[in-house]
Amino acid sequence: METANHFTCLTYDTIDFLILSKYVLFGIYIGTNDDGKRIDFENEVLPRLSIGSFLEKEFCCKHTEECNVMLIMNKSDFNEELQKKIVDFTGTAFPVTGNFAISVNSSVSSRILDISSLRLIPEGIRKRMNDCGVSAIGFAERRQILLSPDNLLRSFLQRHI
């Protein structure tokens, strides 16, 4: 049985946010920190969600560097309701590729992690945490929070629409 998985890690001062790398096509450092709702990328205009400030407020953390990283994802990994909400929020339709961007203001790395170090959220707070996108937590050298991209985006959009 496989116990290690490949994760995209968003590093903040006290927390590492983990997203299964299968959701992230690639990441791009763009150097500036603006709050635009779309980005030009490889001759396409991609819808863009800036979630860095949302993560900092929701989880009481701060970015460790002044970075602006785009995580490129594909709409086919998300249900139609969420796809429509992204288009409505950004005012930009998905390009032919179906790609869109998530912007974070932190450094991003790739990690292979033994998933046995992660634990499910306690039953009493599980629903609230799942609604915020949290699927599991871990305590290694730092706090680790496994994020569910669809629940995280849904929570972000509910607070901003």
Side-chain angles (χ1 to χ4, degrees), residues 39-51:
I39 183 169
D40 292 327
F41 176 73
E42 291 192 353
N43 300 320
E44 294 182 320
V45 177
L46 303 182
R48 173 182 170 194
L49 302 169
S50 298
I51 66 167

Side-chain angles (χ1 to χ4, degrees), residues 19-75:
I19 299 172
L20 277 172
S21 290
K22 71 177 190 175
Y23 290 103
V24 180
L25 300 175
F26 44 90
I28 303 149
Y29 173 73
I30 62 170
T32 61
N33 194 4
D34 65 13
D35 290 328
K37 292 186 177 180
R38 56 195 139 279
I39 183 169
D40 292 327
F41 176 73
E42 291 192 353
N43 300 320
E44 294 182 320
V45 177
L46 303 182
R48 173 182 170 194
L49 302 169
S50 298
I51 66 167
S53 295
F54 172 75
L55 289 173
E56 291 174 20
K57 288 177 189 170
E58 191 71 24
F59 296 97
C60 298
C61 60
K62 296 189 182 329
H63 56 273
T64 55
E65 302 176 40
E66 278 297 323
C67 292
N68 195 7
V69 176
M70 296 295 144
L71 302 177
I72 308 299
M73 299 180 167
N74 193 278
K75 72 176 185 175

Side-chain angles (χ1 to χ4, degrees), residues 56-101:
E56 291 174 20
K57 288 177 189 170
E58 191 71 24
F59 296 97
C60 298
C61 60
K62 296 189 182 329
H63 56 273
T64 55
E65 302 176 40
E66 278 297 323
C67 292
N68 195 7
V69 176
M70 296 295 144
L71 302 177
I72 308 299
M73 299 180 167
N74 193 278
K75 72 176 185 175
S76 64
D77 289 329
F78 303 91
N79 69 32
E80 287 183 26
E81 171 198 350
L82 190 54
Q83 293 176 32
K84 183 179 178 338
K85 287 181 180 183
I86 292 169
V87 169
D88 291 346
F89 176 76
T90 61
T92 304
F94 290 98
V96 174
T97 61
N99 293 338
F100 67 101

Side-chain angles (χ1 to χ4, degrees), residues 89-156:
F89 176 76
T90 61
T92 304
F94 290 98
V96 174
T97 61
N99 293 338
F100 67 101
I102 302 292
S103 173
V104 295
N105 36 328
S106 184
S107 60
V108 175
S109 62
S110 181
R111 291 204 184 145
I112 294 179
L113 183 71
D114 182 350
I115 61 173
S116 67
S117 67
L118 298 175
R119 300 287 179 251
L120 289 176
I121 305 296
E123 186 81 32
I125 61 172
R126 189 172 297 162
K127 178 166 178 6
R128 165 72 175 108
M129 293 289 95
N130 282 331
D131 289 347
C132 293
V134 177
S135 297
I137 57 174
F139 299 96
E141 298 158 15
R142 300 165 42 87
R143 285 188 294 168
Q144 299 171 321
I145 296 179
L146 177 61
L147 296 175
S148 161
D150 53 341
N151 289 345
L152 175 67
L153 294 177
R154 193 171 287 110
S155 179
F156 169 82

